[in-house]
């Protein structure tokens, strides 16, 4: 396999450059993952009769590979990051494709674990490659465009489901096989046709925990805990409480993705202009208010229209989270990016592994309390974001550094 430096790659055809590969991967991953996410709640309720505790267990199993993402450090000693990322995409596609073949609890959990290994190892490597291949001054804008591209791919996947689910009487098996097969095929083609891109700074291949990154670690921990509320319970609420069918829930995702596709580049400019500190403060204030409103749905009996609006707003706030990536890029030693991406993913998933099961049990008693607890997590993240300097850099990672 031909090895090409980033400088040499700039003289190659545009479609053969590292940035273009990032866009291709950003397109491929959501096709499988978005389909899996869109169908999951209805699939497990209608086919496997899951309740709140069961869905909590499933998502805890799904997060185990994220908790073990630090294992990427050991793998990249022998396998290049680019190859590992693409192979992980193949695993995600194949595991998604056969999800409906095993509609019992054991089968669903096993395939969820396999697809999650592909997803989380891909995401770990992808984050590392983004920060190595994109310059600091262009990172917010390019990450915004990557967000838009991923949203566009998800939009197509969800749109196909909405249009064809009832019209063609589409089955879960057909939807999973088509989407998973497309993702796996794109990844295999990329393995074959792209050279290996050599980053300018060799990456450390040992686990690294630096004291000066402590705020980044803390923000990642809280992000993992907070994200589970949306991933696990927001969609489940729409199905369990309001009886949303597959095409109705998918329509909400379509709205989210259409907005992200349009606003992704705008979010990139927002981060560039306002800085990571102000962007994250805005995100966490918004999320706290959204979670409190979710709780009000159960406590005060608010209706489905508000729930749907909150679902969309919630997703938009989470889209600003790439500001955390650019904050780390500004404070990091360039050689720390790959190992720290792996460590950060593990930290992000410490709470994510156990929290869904615990909150699933709380859900059986009081769904509103779950969302109140989530508002507390968002408030904690807000307090941490206030410690980010306006212009972070190595040696000036927090407001206490100088």
């Amino acid at each position: 396999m031909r090895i090409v430096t980033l400088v040499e790659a700039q003289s190659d055809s545009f479609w053969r450059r590292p940035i273009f590969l990032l866009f291709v991967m950003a397109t491929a991953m959501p096709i499988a993952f978005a389909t899996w996410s869109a169908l999951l709640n209805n699939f497990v309720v209608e086919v496997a009769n899951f309740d709140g505790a069961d869905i909590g267990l499933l998502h805890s199993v799904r997060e185990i590979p994220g908790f073990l993402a630090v294992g990427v450090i050991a793998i990249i000693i022998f396998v290049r990051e680019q190859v590992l990322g693409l192979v992980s995409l193949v695993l995600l596609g194949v595991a998604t494709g056969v999800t409906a073949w095993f509609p019992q609890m054991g089968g669903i959990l096993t395939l969820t674990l396999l697809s999650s290994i592909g997803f989380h190892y891909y995401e770990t490597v992808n984050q590392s490659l983004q920060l190595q291949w994109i310059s600091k001054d262009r990172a917010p804008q390019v990450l915004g465009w990557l967000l838009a591209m991923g949203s566009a791919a998800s939009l197509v996947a969800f749109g196909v489901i909405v249009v064809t689910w009832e019209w063609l009487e589409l089955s879960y098996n057909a939807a999973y096989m088509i989407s998973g097969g497309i993702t796996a095929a794109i990844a295999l083609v990329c393995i074959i046709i792209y050279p290996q891109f050599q980053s300018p700074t060799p990456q450390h291949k040992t686990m690294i925990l630096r004291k000066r990154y402590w705020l980044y670690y803390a923000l990642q921990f809280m992000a993992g805990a907070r994200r589970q509320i949306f991933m696990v319970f927001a969609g489940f609420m729409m199905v369990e409480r309001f009886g949303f069918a597959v095409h109705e829930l998918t329509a909400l995702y379509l709205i989210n993705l259409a907005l992200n596709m349009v606003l992704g580049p705008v979010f990139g400019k927002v981060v560039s202009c306002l800085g990571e500190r102000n962007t994250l403060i805005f995100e966490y204030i918004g999320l706290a208010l959204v979670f409190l409103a979710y709780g009000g749905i159960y406590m005060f009996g608010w209706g489905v229209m508000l729930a749907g609006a909150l679902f969309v707003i919630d997703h938009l706030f989470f889209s600003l989270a790439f500001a955390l990536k650019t904050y780390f890029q500004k404070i990091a030693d360039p050689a720390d990016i790959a190992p720290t991406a792996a460590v950060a993913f593990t930290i992000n998933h410490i709470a994510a592994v156990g929290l869904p099961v615990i909150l699933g049990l709380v859900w059986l008693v009081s769904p509103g309390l779950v969302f109140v607890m989530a508002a507390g997590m968002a408030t904690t993240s807000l307090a941490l974001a206030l410690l980010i300097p306006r212009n972070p850099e190595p040696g000036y990672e927090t407001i206490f550094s100088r």
Side-chain angles (χ1 to χ4, degrees), residues 259-289:
L259 290 173
N260 273 340
M261 188 171 66
V262 174
L263 296 177
V266 176
F267 291 158
K269 291 182 179 179
V270 167
V271 176
S272 293
C273 295
L274 297 183
E276 289 76 13
R277 172 190 168 94
N278 291 332
T279 302
L280 292 173
I281 288 172
F282 174 72
E283 177 192 352
Y284 300 147
I285 291 174
L287 286 173
L289 295 175

Side-chain angles (χ1 to χ4, degrees), residues 337-358:
I337 289 176
T340 304
V343 169
F345 252 77
T346 293
I347 292 172
N348 184 280
H349 288 78
I350 291 174
V353 171
L355 199 61
V357 171
I358 296 171

Side-chain angles (χ1 to χ4, degrees), residues 237-238 241-242 244 293-294 296-298 300-310:
M237 174 191 69
M238 303 304 292
R241 184 173 178 85
F242 298 109
F244 269 42
Y294 271 139
I297 290 173
Y298 287 92
F300 306 111
W302 295 338
V304 64
M305 294 299 293
L306 177 62
L310 290 173

Side-chain angles (χ1 to χ4, degrees), residues 366-388:
S366 174
L369 181 58
V370 171
F371 292 118
V372 171
M373 294 169 66
M377 296 173 195
T379 303
T380 302
S381 297
L382 171 62
L384 292 170
L386 292 170
L387 304 180
I388 298 176

Side-chain angles (χ1 to χ4, degrees), residues 153-402:
S154 298
L155 183 66
V156 171
F158 287 152
V160 170
I161 292 173
V162 169
V163 171
T164 63
W165 186 260
E166 291 189 335
W167 175 42
L168 298 180
E169 297 183 353
L170 201 65
S171 67
Y172 288 110
N173 185 47
Y176 281 133
M177 287 191 67
I178 293 171
S179 61
I182 292 173
T183 294
I186 292 174
L188 285 171
V189 170
C190 289
I191 291 173
I192 295 170
I193 68 172
Y194 277 96
Q196 295 297 304
F197 298 114
Q198 181 67 54
S199 299
T201 304
Q203 297 295 294
H204 295 305
K205 293 181 172 60
T206 57
M207 190 173 76
I208 291 175
L209 283 170
R210 299 202 189 280
K211 183 178 179 180
R212 68 188 185 90
Y213 299 157
W214 73 267
L215 180 56
Y216 175 67
Y217 299 146
L219 286 165
Q220 283 285 3
F221 176 82
M222 292 309 304
R226 195 180 61 253
R227 189 187 71 253
Q228 292 310 301
I229 308 300
F230 178 78
M231 289 292 296
V232 181
F233 297 107
F236 190 72
M237 174 191 69
M238 303 304 292
V239 175
E240 184 185 63
R241 184 173 178 85
F242 298 109
F244 269 42
V246 166
H247 63 286
E248 292 171 325
L249 185 59
T250 305
L252 279 181
Y253 283 108
L254 281 174
I255 296 171
N256 289 338
L257 294 167
L259 290 173
N260 273 340
M261 188 171 66
V262 174
L263 296 177
V266 176
F267 291 158
K269 291 182 179 179
V270 167
V271 176
S272 293
C273 295
L274 297 183
E276 289 76 13
R277 172 190 168 94
N278 291 332
T279 302
L280 292 173
I281 288 172
F282 174 72
E283 177 192 352
Y284 300 147
I285 291 174
L287 286 173
L289 295 175
V290 167
F291 286 137
L292 287 174
Y294 271 139
I297 290 173
Y298 287 92
M299 295 176 185
F300 306 111
W302 295 338
V304 64
M305 294 299 293
L306 177 62
L310 290 173
F311 190 88
V312 172
I313 295 169
D314 190 358
H315 194 273
L316 287 177
F317 278 122
F318 276 112
S319 299
L320 291 169
F322 68 81
L324 191 54
K325 289 184 185 180
T326 58
Y327 163 65
F328 173 67
Q329 187 186 36
K330 289 181 177 180
I331 66 172
D333 180 334
D336 290 348
I337 289 176
T340 304
V343 169
F345 252 77
T346 293
I347 292 172
N348 184 280
H349 288 78
I350 291 174
V353 171
L355 199 61
V357 171
I358 296 171
L359 293 181
L361 297 175
V362 174
W363 184 272
L364 298 178
V365 178
S366 174
L369 181 58
V370 171
F371 292 118
V372 171
M373 294 169 66
M377 296 173 195
T379 303
T380 302
S381 297
L382 171 62
L384 292 170
L386 292 170
L387 304 180
I388 298 176
R390 295 190 182 279
N391 297 293
E393 60 184 44
Y396 191 32
E397 297 84 10
T398 74
I399 59 174
F400 304 123
S401 298
R402 291 180 181 172

Side-chain angles (χ1 to χ4, degrees), residues 62-76 81 84 88 116-128 206-207 220 227 337-350 353:
R62 184 180 66 83
E63 297 296 355
I64 290 174
F67 178 71
L68 300 176
V70 71
V72 167
I73 299 172
I75 298 175
I76 63 174
E81 286 184 83
L84 176 58
S88 297
S116 182
I117 291 172
F119 172 78
H120 284 98
Y121 275 42
Y122 160 76
E123 281 294 324
T124 301
V125 172
N126 185 49
Q127 177 173 310
S128 172
T206 57
M207 190 173 76
Q220 283 285 3
R227 189 187 71 253
I337 289 176
T340 304
V343 169
F345 252 77
T346 293
I347 292 172
N348 184 280
H349 288 78
I350 291 174
V353 171

